[in-house]
């Protein structure tokens, strides 16, 4: 299984619309090979999101992400300072430790 960590910065006032779109995309993610999602927002900044996806394969995860980025030019726009509004990192879990 592959884990994708997605870090996103929403514009002021975009959270509700993002949440509706994201939750509405559940069936498409599942059909593309997504096996589960965990969502987090910043303690001090609720517009900073971290979403962790579990995928059946790296190929399916990358294909899905590439299709979504191609659909939404805004995702490739840069924040002030040149960092992307969306960053995805693909990883494989190592053996767990007790603490």
């Amino acid at each position: 299984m592959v884990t994708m960590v997605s870090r996103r910065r929403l514009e002021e006032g975009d959270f509700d619309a993002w949440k509706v779109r994201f939750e509405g995309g559940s069936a498409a993610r599942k059909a593309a090979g997504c096996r589960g999602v965990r969502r987090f927002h910043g303690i001090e900044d609720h517009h900073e999101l971290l979403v962790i996806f579990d995928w059946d394969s790296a190929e399916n995860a990358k294909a899905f992400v590439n299709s979504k980025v191609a659909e939404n030019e805004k995702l490739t726009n840069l924040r002030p300072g040149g960092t992307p509004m969306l960053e995805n990192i693909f990883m494989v879990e190592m053996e767990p430790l007790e603490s």
Side-chain angles (χ1 to χ4, degrees):
M1 187 165 2
V2 171
T3 298
M4 182 182 83
V5 178
S6 181
R7 184 174 180 200
R8 172 178 291 211
R9 170 83 185 142
L10 296 175
E11 301 280 337
E12 188 71 35
D14 281 354
F15 180 80
D16 291 336
W18 171 83
K19 187 174 185 288
V20 168
R21 280 192 318 273
F22 187 81
E23 291 175 357
S26 177
R29 285 190 301 274
K30 186 173 183 176
C34 185
R35 300 294 175 239
V37 177
R38 290 171 283 161
R39 301 175 294 174
F40 305 85
H41 64 74
I43 292 172
E44 295 179 16
D45 183 356
H46 288 228
H47 292 88
E48 191 76 32
L49 301 175
L50 185 69
V51 184
I52 300 172
F53 301 83
D54 292 323
W55 288 89
D56 60 356
S57 73
E59 294 78 18
N60 285 343
K62 290 178 181 181
F64 185 81
V65 168
N66 289 338
S67 73
K68 289 300 173 189
V69 170
E71 288 175 13
N72 190 347
E73 182 181 326
K74 186 176 180 180
L75 296 178
T76 61
N77 292 341
L78 300 180
R79 286 189 279 189
T83 58
M85 293 175 65
L86 173 66
E87 177 182 18
N88 294 310
I89 302 168
F90 300 91
M91 309 181 91
V92 176
E93 186 174 7
M94 298 168 59
E95 62 279 351
L97 300 174
E98 290 184 24
S99 291

